[in-house]
């Protein structure tokens, strides 16, 4: 139950996160962040301005929550507050505070605290004195009878700048770095729970992302690809416009199935995927591959499994942001970013097609290399697959 009268609010104060650490690059980062804010707020009426180096959005009250939801998803912002902007004038501040107080009391708050923050040193009174004065004003003129310094029912924050902003709650957001500020990555996106979460994690660190998915049509259906497109669509809320590449790896899977030991099929398939992904990354100038692997989760994600898949990489790094996470932690993030429900919809998995009943749980690279040697024209097959790739622009 909120004690805050939303109708009084007309602004959102933004806290930029690690940007403050970025020294000379700060200007660039801020520009990226501003552009992103402009993009997500297309269609809303607002002004974005700095008030003594703190960015504020000024908006219509009725758009407040919708705008907040959009802003929450912009990486680089660590927190925000929904505030009432008034002029830096004692009467106005006091009057607005009383409106906050009366509503809060009516909704059941029985004690309060006033916190004053004074960035504008030109303001006559010091913060402590002024907080006391405002507290007294509320006690005298509203039904409140009690100030409580610790665990108050409601805190009235008064942020004094060129203008004055009154707010009650601080909202924590994702943090991270502005999109596009740290490089470009290519995500290997399957229909499962993990790779969408891995995408989110790297986008949060400022990477601009595109996606590649592997299928085995006609053994995997068109609907399976539709599902991946829909996942990319959800992810584009965080990544912005994105491109999804799709490659049919059936040819190589069939040959692996025919020529090599059954129990290594999954690893050999994963190696083919990594090779194709690195090739795509090189041609499109992506600087890293990203997967949803987590240590020990399945047979192909043991130390041995990861060693075998990683060994095909020629020069790009592979980022595995979920490597140290438990499934439950991954699921919590998937729910939070809204990919979970889509991920758990049933789909045929390209990997599952020729999946051995008993995959080797800790494959050795030597054994894998011996098996791979048995595949003739390996590179030509990859060329064919690569040349037949399709793509879809999403978001
Ligand atoms: P996910 O939940 O992302 O499907 P998973 O737990 O099922 O992961 P694997 O199937 O072993 O794990 O896949 C490991 C990683 O390899 C995935 O997170 C993804 O990055 C990549 N990957 C697997 N299959 C595909 C595919 N068909 N297309 C693209 N990437 C894939
Ligand atoms: Mg999978």
């Amino acid at each position: 139950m909120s004690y805050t009268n939303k109708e009084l609010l007309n602004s959102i104060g933004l806290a930029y996160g690690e940007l403050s650490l970025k020294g000379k690059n700060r200007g660039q980062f801020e520009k990226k962040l501003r552009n992103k804010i402009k993009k997500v707020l297309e269609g809303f009426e607002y002004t974005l301005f700095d008030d003594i180096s703190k960015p504020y959005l000024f908006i219509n009250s009725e758009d407040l929550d919708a705008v907040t939801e959009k802003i929450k998803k912009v990486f680089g912002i660590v927190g925000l507050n929904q505030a009432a902007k008034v002029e830096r004038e004692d009467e106005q501040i006091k009057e607005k505070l009383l409106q906050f107080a009366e509503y809060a009391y009516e909704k059941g708050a029985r004690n309060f605290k006033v916190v004053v923050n004074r960035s504008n040193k030109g303001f006559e009174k010091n913060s402590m004195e002024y907080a006391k004065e405002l507290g007294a004003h509320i006690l005298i003129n509203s039904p409140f009878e009690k100030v409580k310094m610790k665990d108050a029912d409601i805190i009235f924050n008064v942020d004094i700048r060129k203008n004055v902003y009154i707010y009650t709650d601080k909202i924590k957001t994702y943090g991270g770095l502005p999109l596009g500020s740290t490089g470009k990555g290519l995500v290997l996106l399957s229909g499962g729970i993990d790779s969408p979460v891995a995408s989110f994690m790297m986008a949060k660190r400022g990477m601009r992302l595109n996606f590649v998915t592997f299928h085995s049509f006609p053994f995997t259906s068109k609907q399976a690809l539709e599902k991946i497109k829909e996942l990319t669509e959800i992810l584009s809320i965080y990544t912005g416009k994105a491109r999804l590449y799709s490659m049919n790896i059936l040819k190589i899977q069939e040959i692996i199935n025919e020529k090599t030991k059954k129990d290594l099929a999954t690893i050999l398939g994963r190696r083919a995927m990594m090779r194709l992904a690195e090739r795509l990354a090189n041609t499109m100038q992506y600087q890293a591959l990203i997967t949803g692997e987590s240590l020990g989760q399945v047979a192909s994600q043991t130390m041995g499994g990861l060693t075998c898949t990683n060994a095909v990489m020629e020069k790009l790094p592979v980022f595995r942001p979920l490597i140290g996470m438990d499934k439950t932690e991954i699921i919590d993030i998937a729910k939070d970013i809204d990919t979970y429900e889509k991920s758990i919809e049933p789909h045929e998995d390209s990997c599952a097609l020729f999946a051995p009943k008993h995959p080797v749980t800790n494959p050795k690279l030597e054994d894998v290399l011996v098996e791979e040697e048995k595949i003739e024209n390996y590179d030509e097959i990859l060329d064919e697959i690569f040349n037949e790739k399709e793509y879809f622009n999403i978001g």
Side-chain angles (χ1 to χ4, degrees), residues 187-196 198 212-215 228 249 266 270 273-274 290-294 297-298 300-301 322 327 343 347 349-351:
V187 183
L188 284 80
L189 188 68
S190 68
I193 296 168
D194 302 329
S195 40
V212 59
T213 193
F214 302 98
H215 63 89
I228 314 258
I249 54 169
T266 308
R270 300 271 304 112
M273 287 184 192
M274 300 297 276
I290 294 144
T291 73
E293 288 156 317
S294 155
Q297 199 188 77
V298 290
S300 57
Q301 296 175 31
L322 313 188
K327 196 74 187 187
S343 286
H347 70 284
D349 188 341
S350 180
C351 286

Side-chain angles (χ1 to χ4, degrees), residues 32-50:
K32 288 218 161 77
L33 195 52
R34 265 166 206 279
N35 286 341
K36 184 69 188 167
I37 292 172
K38 273 185 202 152
K39 252 195 207 134
V40 300
L41 294 188
E42 256 166 35
F44 287 101
E45 249 179 68
Y46 67 93
T47 46
L48 174 60
F49 59 95
D50 272 352

